[in-house]
Amino acid sequence: MNQERLMQVLLAPQISEKATFVADKHEQVIFRVAPDATKPEVKGAVELLFKVTVKSVQIANVKGKEKRFGRVMGRRKSWKKAYVSLHAGQEINFVDGGGA
């Protein structure tokens, strides 16, 4: 895979209450990824950027919510997120800026 492409796959870590719960219980990390990202690309990107070994990747499409803007109904963008499972004993620490 092209390293240039792998650097553009991961957009941001998804840090929320649910993401923290999943990270503690299932030893997974959640990322917001590019809309056209595939599982092998996400796996390669995480291994390249954080120097960890990935066990599996699950991808979910999040539909944008309909919201009212004054009188007009609008729609937020849809986006894609990836649940990345790491091998035992490995973790990604976002506070220190990378792999631990």
Side-chain angles (χ1 to χ4, degrees):
M1 277 178 258
N2 187 1
Q3 280 195 349
E4 214 172 287
R5 169 65 181 153
L6 292 180
M7 297 296 268
Q8 297 172 349
V9 170
L10 298 180
L11 301 179
Q14 186 67 25
I15 299 174
S16 63
E17 189 173 344
K18 181 179 178 181
T20 306
F21 176 75
V22 167
D24 291 341
K25 186 168 183 181
H26 301 293
E27 296 173 0
Q28 290 180 329
V29 183
I30 302 174
F31 290 98
R32 187 179 283 243
V33 297
D36 58 344
T38 62
K39 288 182 181 184
E41 287 177 337
V42 171
K43 179 179 179 179
V46 171
E47 289 177 347
L48 176 72
L49 292 172
F50 299 105
K51 308 292 189 265
V52 293
T53 54
V54 174
K55 185 170 29 171
S56 67
V57 175
Q58 298 168 328
I59 291 184
N61 287 314
V62 179
K63 303 290 184 194
K65 293 181 177 180
E66 285 192 354
K67 289 291 196 173
R68 180 176 296 279
F69 299 103
R71 295 183 193 168
V72 181
M73 284 300 288
R75 186 168 189 87
R76 291 185 180 167
K77 280 185 170 180
S78 297
W79 54 283
K80 190 180 264 193
K81 67 180 169 181
Y83 293 87
V84 178
S85 297
L86 303 174
H87 281 284
Q90 295 189 345
E91 65 179 9
I92 297 173
N93 190 354
F94 294 112
V95 176
D96 294 336

